[in-house]
Amino acid sequence: MNEEKEKLDITIKSNTRDLFAFTKLVPNRKKRFERASSDPITKDPMNELAVRLHPNRQYLVINEIKDETKSAKTFKLTPDPDSNTKELAYFRAGQYLSLKVQVNGVMITRPYSISSSPSDALKGFYEITIRKEEQGFLTEYIWNNWRKGTKVVSSGPEGYFYFEPLRDLKQIVGIAGGSGITPFRSMAKAIIDDTLNAKLTLLYGSSDEEDIIFYHEFKEMEKNYPSKIKIVHVLSCDVVSLEGCEQGFISKDIIEKYCNPPSSTFFVCGPQIMYEFVEAELKKLNLPTKLIRREAFGEVKDILTFPDFPKEVAEKTFKMKVQIGNSCKEVPAIATESVLVALERAHINPPSKCRSGECGFCRSLLIDGKVYINPVSDWRKGGDKRFNYFHPCASYPITDLEIIVPRDF
Amino acid sequence: MSKSKEQGIKDSYDVVIIGAGNGGLTAAAELAMRGVNLLLLEQHNLPGGFASSFVRGRFEFETSLHELYDWGPESNKGGTRRLLERYELDSEFVAVPEAYRLIVTNPDDYIDVVMPFGIDAYLDAIEKAVPGCRDSVRSFFDLAQEIDIATSFLGRSRGNPDQEVLLKEHSNFLKTAAYSVEEIEDALNIPEKAKGILNAYWLYLGIPTNRVNSTLFTSMVYGYILKGAYIPKFRSHDYTTALDAKIREFGGKIEYNTKVEKILVENGKIIGVETSNGDKIKTNHVISNASPTLTYNNLIHPKSEVPEIAYKEINARRHGISTFVVYMGLDATAEELGLKEYSYFISNIMNTEELYEELHNLEIPNVQATICLNNAIPDCSPPGTCIVSITSAFLPGAWDDVKLEEYFTVKNKIAEGLINNFEKATGAPIREHIEEIEVATPQTISRFTRAYNGVVYGYEPDSWDSIVPRLAMMNDDKHIDGLEFCGGHGKRAHGYSSSLKDGQTAALLTLQDLQKKGELK
Ligand SMILES: Cc1cc2nc3c(=O)[nH]c(=O)nc-3n(C[C@H](O)[C@H](O)[C@H](O)COP(=O)(O)OP(=O)(O)OC[C@H]3O[C@@H](n4cnc5c(N)ncnc54)[C@H](O)[C@@H]3O)c2cc1C
Ligand code: FES
């Protein structure tokens, strides 16, 4: 078996022509270059589309303000004519805008679901509906300062809380609490104007009658499109006088009374406490994970409620060394506030959008020290966990820290 | 006392690297390791460019990598592996189980074969599928081996190969370098059906087999079959973040969210860069991981410093395909779905020219390359689930006329078509198990990487513009003093391995230049 393998000698056209073809490779390439046009390229269609769908910033102005309840207002936003925002980015019903606002000298962001229909964006406006928080940092400011004509800067549409026809069942069950109604208004409008091919049953929890946002609007939609939109109000106050309402919280029994769980996709949006309650109720229904979609709920209101948060640091304020761009600062960081809030308080403006650990926009590098990462908001990539990258909006200082933060752009 | 060596951005650097994609990262790692004072600027907030990952629900998806080429096992390490091991990277890679399963669905071309790694095993399998083809396919691999040796030789020669050695030792390489893979396969008398099996990887190079340069294609097939294919165990974001960590450890400075807006040039020489954040940085050396298309058309300032030939080069070349990917987290295991393989090449017909031409149209592509990640990394997703991603492609222009309000509908329709094609070809009912889904289009590519027109595959590697003339002309292709390029648009054409290696080459060329000019501090 010692046969010498025959040496391959390949010929494509002929020996000389093949070798000649090789020697011509470089001269031919040069020739092709020389013959080509010397015009610069001025068009980049995919980049143009990307900028239209995902603008980094949108410069808007308040065109109209409507009182919805005693504590909720709808703001109609249109492109600021003095800016280069000429059109609004299209979106999918359920997405949010991250507003960037200067409040008492501090630059902050807050996410707000778009409450108008995607087709309204094509007509030139978005609506957001904001509920005033007790001692809310931004909302207090809004109530005191926002008027028709006030300029507002926002991100492009963000988030993953939208109906996905390849994944979701056509019957949507919306579970909303308080201001969590807003994305469902957008979805309902999109269903009615046929942007969205689905049906919506909405279970909407409010504390009392007075607190219900969009009461009449949803009643009207339900009346005009009974096969597409249905709403059930669930009021937690003791006495319920409103006709056709449920009293209590959105429980398994209420869900089963109005919906057929296994043939619906659930969309849950509301404050953190509602999630905890509804989560437990949904669990009793034994639904596959894919049938339950959750909107991010923002920063955790009280980090001390997390059992593994080290309580002994609760009262502490730590020193945080922050490197950003070409500057380096040492700033205080309160254990019970997110690192992102500490940065904003110190007039360091890192990028942020969701403030829920989800978008990764605030991704920063922990050089030294320890943070507590709230487990329900830990959406980091595996590699980031291994190499000490963290999301400041979902992380709390529990020692002195040294971090590197990216600049916003 | 600060624990790290990290400092703020300074106002001058020996080298500024634009872009932290595969090429930019290795360029930075190489230079930083050698103590060069460098700044790596990236417009996105993550390293990696296409080499990344993203999280949805319970899943972390690999963004673009299918198979890393030229990695190889411990016993036979490939160049890519040796390169990353140089930097003592803290990141694991695992072997992909089989080369690929090829399914061609039309009755006339019908085929369904699973091809193994290892030259002998591959030859056995192809002989079984196409009796009598063994010897011709074996000569394809013999030739590929010679070409592979010759291209390594060329790579080492940095544009100045010894002509005599070339002629004497690499004649088969010389004689094939100007031809397409189809011309080579015909010269070797490989039967049609065996060609179809051998050409399954064509989508990785993105141009049809009657055009794709044989040097590049044969080396690729040979490299995969001989050394196997590998993937990062914790997605590409893990190894790119490991590179980020090494660059910092070596003393390099990385700044994310920072877009270079101008490369300042004076009298044909680089003098600095300006960024979207208002940084003005002095430097005489830039390594651009952005394509020549973007660099010359958008970055060089003033425009009068762009030589005419730079525009001509870009216009003479053809921009390659962009990708379309459907990422799915499924609530069933691969086993439950009947998916046994990691990599699936699926098309309706075998003719790559027809398949390619269709990619001009905004329709459901008939060709796809699909991955079931769990068949290489069983625990890459939670128990009871698996990750499947379908990749297809579009040519520049296909998406140009999409209206804003149609965009989401169009992309869903195409995604649905690709899912249907996969289900029909494999019988796996994936649609009903979708728990998470994300669809990326050429627009998405553009959004995250800012690549010109969403192009992923650099410039098309036709024979006239393939690696041989690119490497041979790498000294002619320089038009601005101090400017080097690296990455998928570079000398070795696109792909992870090519880009990673190209980054190192650009670093070494820059270092040479720094030393020659005595500019190293
Ligand atoms: C995806 C998403 C969508 C949402 N959609 C809506 C919606 O449609 N409608 C709606 O009403 N709400 C919505 N929200 C909630 C909304 O984003 C805000 O959380 C809410 O309006 C409260 O904001 P606030 O600033 O008034 O109150 P808070 O955020 O509760 O204000 C207190 C916060 O401000 C910080 N703070 C206090 N003082 C300072 C200071 N000096 N400098 C910096 N920070 C300080 C505190 O640490 C604390 O974190 C949404 C949230 C998410 C995550
Ligand atoms: S702002 Fe989204 S992750 Fe922090």
Side-chain angles (χ1 to χ4, degrees):
Chain A
M1 294 287 286
N2 248 342
E3 246 173 295
E4 172 104 351
K5 198 170 75 182
E6 200 187 321
K7 175 114 176 61
L8 182 76
D9 185 16
I10 194 168
T11 307
I12 313 297
K13 289 184 178 147
S14 77
N15 229 350
T16 28
R17 284 178 68 189
D18 295 348
L19 281 172
F20 183 69
F22 173 80
T23 61
K24 283 309 238 184
L25 275 172
V26 167
N28 277 343
R29 188 167 182 259
K30 285 188 176 157
K31 212 179 283 166
R32 279 188 188 247
F33 285 169
E34 252 131 51
R35 273 197 241 118
S37 141
S38 59
D39 294 339
I41 295 178
T42 51
K43 277 205 152 335
D44 186 340
M46 284 308 99
N47 205 19
E48 284 157 31
L49 182 60
V51 170
R52 293 178 72 196
L53 281 166
H54 306 284
N56 189 27
R57 297 243 197 290
Q58 302 191 86
Y59 295 91
L60 311 170
V61 63
I62 298 172
N63 182 280
E64 205 178 299
I65 303 177
K66 186 176 165 218
D67 287 318
E68 300 288 355
T69 66
K70 265 190 237 155
S71 61
K73 293 177 197 278
T74 293
F75 299 87
K76 184 174 177 179
L77 304 168
T78 53
D80 174 0
D82 300 333
S83 75
N84 53 14
T85 298
K86 297 296 170 214
E87 62 173 8
L88 301 179
Y90 193 56
F91 67 101
R92 280 176 281 194
Q95 289 190 295
Y96 69 83
L97 299 175
S98 170
L99 304 189
K100 205 172 162 72
V101 191
Q102 181 138 16
V103 180
N104 312 333
V106 177
M107 190 62 97
I108 56 157
T109 64
R110 290 288 183 271
Y112 291 100
S113 305
I114 304 171
S115 61
S116 52
S117 163
S119 58
D120 293 333
L122 298 173
K123 291 180 204 140
F125 71 92
Y126 294 131
E127 280 171 342
I128 54 172
T129 305
I130 301 182
R131 204 172 108 138
K132 190 165 180 293
E133 289 273 322
E134 301 238 352
Q135 284 162 8
F137 188 59
L138 174 62
T139 49
E140 288 272 354
Y141 175 86
I142 289 177
W143 257 248
N144 291 333
N145 295 282
W146 279 15
R147 306 280 177 264
K148 187 175 170 177
T150 302
K151 294 186 182 195
V152 178
V153 180
S154 93
S155 67
E158 290 289 330
Y160 317 117
F161 190 68
Y162 49 78
F163 178 80
E164 168 51 72
L166 295 171
R167 176 195 62 206
D168 300 326
L169 300 171
K170 285 226 154 49
Q171 176 65 58
I172 305 176
V173 174
I175 298 187
S179 69
I181 184 79
T182 50
F184 297 111
R185 181 183 185 241
S186 180
M187 289 186 199
K189 284 175 173 276
I191 288 170
I192 289 170
D193 69 24
D194 279 333
T195 315
L196 214 164
N197 181 12
K199 294 176 183 181
L200 173 67
T201 298
L202 189 58
L203 308 177
Y204 180 22
S206 304
S207 48
D208 57 43
E209 230 173 277
E210 301 266 274
D211 235 23
I212 300 174
I213 306 174
F214 307 133
Y215 180 80
H216 296 290
E217 214 174 318
F218 266 100
K219 270 279 163 278
E220 195 69 9
M221 289 197 265
E222 189 178 34
K223 200 178 89 199
N224 295 336
Y225 303 91
S227 63
K228 289 181 167 180
I229 310 286
K230 179 169 177 53
I231 185 159
V232 178
H233 292 283
V234 183
L235 302 179
S236 59
C237 53
D238 296 336
V239 191
V240 171
S241 54
L242 204 65
E243 202 194 327
C245 284
E246 292 286 343
Q247 195 266 332
F249 296 99
I250 302 169
S251 63
K252 168 175 174 280
D253 292 344
I254 292 184
I255 294 170
E256 282 181 318
K257 181 170 168 189
Y258 294 98
C259 330
N260 182 13
S263 50
S264 318
T265 298
F266 287 79
F267 281 75
V268 186
C269 183
Q272 191 192 338
I273 34 165
M274 187 202 83
Y275 277 74
E276 282 154 21
F277 184 84
V278 168
E279 202 80 345
E281 296 302 299
L282 284 171
K283 208 169 202 161
K284 296 180 194 160
L285 293 168
N286 268 324
L287 297 171
T289 310
K290 64 173 273 175
L291 293 185
I292 306 174
R293 317 293 312 167
R294 297 168 188 82
E295 178 55 304
F297 51 72
E299 278 182 59
V300 170
K301 282 273 173 273
D302 185 0
I303 196 63
L304 294 173
T305 57
F306 284 78
D308 55 342
F309 183 84
K311 304 280 180 302
E312 62 279 8
V313 303
E315 307 282 310
K316 295 216 166 123
T317 299
F318 295 103
K319 279 186 238 150
M320 184 162 80
K321 199 169 159 192
V322 185
Q323 204 184 94
I324 181 165
N326 52 9
S327 74
C328 189
K329 289 183 194 167
E330 194 173 284
V331 306
I334 303 168
T336 51
E337 277 188 354
S338 72
V339 171
L340 180 59
V341 171
L343 291 166
E344 288 173 338
R345 278 184 189 276
H347 305 281
I348 297 171
N349 302 317
S352 67
K353 281 181 183 164
C354 70
R355 304 185 80 95
S356 312
E358 191 186 69
C359 73
F361 214 61
C362 60
R363 176 182 183 266
S364 299
L365 180 58
L366 182 64
I367 301 278
D368 199 12
K370 279 203 183 104
V371 290
Y372 172 79
I373 297 178
N374 134 31
V376 296
S377 308
D378 191 1
W379 299 99
R380 289 176 301 160
K381 302 169 206 280
D384 280 349
K385 290 183 188 167
R386 292 209 316 119
F387 292 97
N388 280 330
Y389 276 95
F390 72 110
H391 296 169
C393 67
S395 309
Y396 298 78
I398 55 173
T399 66
D400 287 344
L401 299 179
E402 183 178 348
I403 65 175
I404 301 182
V405 176
R407 296 175 293 186
D408 201 359
F409 59 92
Chain B
M1 250 289 293
S2 168
K3 217 176 115 183
S4 76
K5 311 186 216 169
E6 289 274 355
Q7 293 177 342
I9 304 175
K10 294 181 294 184
D11 50 16
S12 126
Y13 286 89
D14 290 339
V15 182
V16 172
I17 298 167
I18 304 177
N22 276 316
L25 285 168
T26 48
E30 185 68 34
L31 287 174
M33 195 169 80
R34 290 163 180 269
V36 175
N37 180 20
L38 72 90
L39 174 65
L40 171 57
L41 298 172
E42 164 60 47
Q43 54 86 24
H44 195 27
N45 72 334
L46 302 171
F50 301 128
S52 190
S53 77
F54 62 93
V55 174
R56 291 289 181 277
R58 305 193 273 170
F59 303 91
E60 181 172 346
F61 296 98
E62 176 71 51
T63 39
S64 70
L65 180 65
H66 283 214
E67 306 177 289
L68 204 52
Y69 161 77
D70 199 26
W71 186 265
E74 189 66 42
S75 56
N76 185 15
K77 291 179 185 175
T80 315
R81 180 169 188 167
R82 278 180 274 123
L83 174 65
L84 293 193
E85 286 186 356
R86 236 177 104 63
Y87 311 125
E88 297 180 353
L89 217 56
D90 171 18
S91 190
E92 273 180 71
F93 291 77
V94 295
V96 162
E98 77 291 310
Y100 52 86
R101 176 169 168 193
L102 171 69
I103 308 176
V104 182
T105 55
N106 266 7
D108 290 345
D109 283 348
Y110 183 79
I111 200 164
D112 185 350
V113 283
V114 179
M115 301 305 291
F117 286 122
I119 306 280
D120 287 335
Y122 189 95
L123 288 173
D124 290 345
I126 203 164
E127 171 69 22
K128 193 166 158 227
V130 190
C133 75
R134 188 185 190 107
D135 288 344
S136 61
V137 178
R138 185 203 302 276
S139 45
F140 176 92
F141 282 117
D142 289 344
L143 174 67
Q145 186 183 15
E146 285 189 39
I147 291 175
D148 190 56
I149 295 169
T151 45
S152 310
F153 167 74
L154 262 194
R156 282 192 307 272
S157 72
R158 295 200 198 153
N160 285 314
D162 182 331
Q163 299 298 328
E164 216 167 294
V165 177
L166 261 184
L167 258 176
K168 222 168 83 203
E169 287 174 30
H170 306 294
S171 65
N172 282 328
F173 155 72
L174 293 182
K175 287 189 286 180
T176 53
Y179 295 107
S180 72
V181 67
E182 201 152 289
E183 287 168 305
I184 304 304
E185 288 170 342
D186 287 342
L188 295 172
N189 290 317
I190 300 176
E192 276 309 305
K193 196 169 170 186
K195 269 164 57 179
I197 296 175
L198 209 46
N199 292 344
Y201 283 120
W202 80 274
L203 200 60
Y204 285 1
L205 290 179
I207 62 171
T209 52
N210 64 338
R211 283 207 285 123
V212 70
N213 174 241
S214 62
T215 313
L216 193 61
F217 193 85
T218 54
S219 308
M220 175 180 75
V221 176
Y222 175 71
Y224 276 135
I225 302 304
L226 181 76
K227 292 186 188 149
Y230 286 72
I231 51 171
K233 185 164 180 195
F234 305 112
R235 307 312 98 81
S236 288
H237 180 69
D238 188 74
Y239 87 80
T240 54
T241 308
L243 274 165
D244 159 309
K246 277 293 162 187
I247 295 165
R248 291 176 197 272
E249 188 188 312
F250 295 147
K253 173 76 187 162
I254 307 180
E255 193 67 20
Y256 293 108
N257 277 0
T258 303
K259 189 172 181 218
V260 170
E261 301 212 305
K262 289 176 185 167
I263 300 173
L264 305 174
V265 180
E266 209 175 84
N267 301 323
K269 195 172 156 56
I270 286 182
I271 56 164
V273 300
E274 276 180 31
T275 76
S276 53
N277 280 301
D279 312 296
K280 292 188 184 3
I281 293 149
K282 284 194 207 113
T283 188
N284 293 122
H285 295 271
V286 165
I287 298 177
S288 181
N289 192 192
S291 62
T293 306
L294 284 183
T295 306
Y296 287 119
N297 282 289
N298 300 355
L299 301 182
I300 301 291
H301 184 84
K303 292 233 179 283
S304 56
E305 289 284 352
V306 182
E308 202 170 64
I309 187 69
Y311 291 127
K312 282 172 174 264
E313 283 178 12
I314 293 159
N315 292 330
R317 309 175 85 176
R318 253 209 263 194
H319 289 95
I321 54 174
S322 184
T323 50
F324 183 98
V325 191
V326 189
Y327 306 93
M328 287 168 286
L330 306 176
D331 70 351
T333 62
E335 196 179 5
E336 284 161 356
L337 296 169
L339 295 176
K340 292 197 186 68
E341 291 79 26
Y342 167 78
S343 166
Y344 301 78
F345 293 119
I346 299 170
S347 61
N348 59 340
I349 52 170
M350 267 190 185
N351 187 313
T352 58
E353 204 182 344
E354 274 179 57
L355 290 169
Y356 170 91
E357 286 306 322
E358 286 175 5
L359 305 179
H360 281 295
N361 311 325
L362 192 53
E363 279 160 22
I364 297 154
N366 280 306
V367 57
Q368 59 174 259
T370 298
I371 296 295
C372 178
L373 199 58
N374 302 66
N375 285 330
I377 313 168
D379 58 355
C380 69
S381 67
T385 69
C386 73
I387 294 178
V388 170
S389 56
I390 303 179
T391 302
S392 190
F394 284 99
L395 281 156
W399 284 72
D400 284 9
D401 297 327
V402 173
K403 290 197 187 66
L404 223 47
E405 63 272 27
E406 290 168 353
Y407 173 78
F408 300 119
T409 325
V410 169
K411 82 170 187 173
N412 267 32
K413 206 179 105 200
I414 292 168
E416 185 172 27
L418 289 170
I419 293 170
N420 287 342
N421 290 348
F422 182 80
E423 289 191 325
K424 266 188 246 151
T426 62
I430 57 175
R431 173 80 191 256
E432 65 196 65
H433 290 288
I434 298 175
E435 179 177 316
E436 296 293 342
I437 180 167
E438 195 60 67
V439 182
T441 73
Q443 180 277 132
T444 318
I445 300 287
S446 187
R447 174 189 179 193
F448 288 110
T449 70
R450 296 288 163 209
Y452 166 70
N453 217 4
V455 168
V456 177
Y457 277 16
Y459 302 113
E460 290 192 343
D462 273 281
S463 289
W464 78 267
D465 191 22
S466 186
I467 48 171
V468 173
R470 286 192 201 183
L471 285 167
M473 285 176 70
M474 83 194 194
N475 298 323
D476 304 274
D477 288 351
K478 284 184 191 166
H479 307 306
I480 290 177
D481 192 10
L483 178 63
E484 286 289 342
F485 286 97
C486 67
H489 289 73
K491 302 167 272 299
R492 290 180 179 79
H494 62 269
Y496 275 53
S497 301
S498 308
S499 305
L500 290 164
K501 291 178 192 168
D502 200 40
Q504 187 199 29
T505 306
L508 295 177
L509 290 169
T510 301
L511 189 67
Q512 221 173 40
D513 202 28
L514 278 162
Q515 284 162 342
K516 202 174 75 195
K517 293 175 179 157
E519 290 171 332
L520 222 45
K521 274 151 216 153

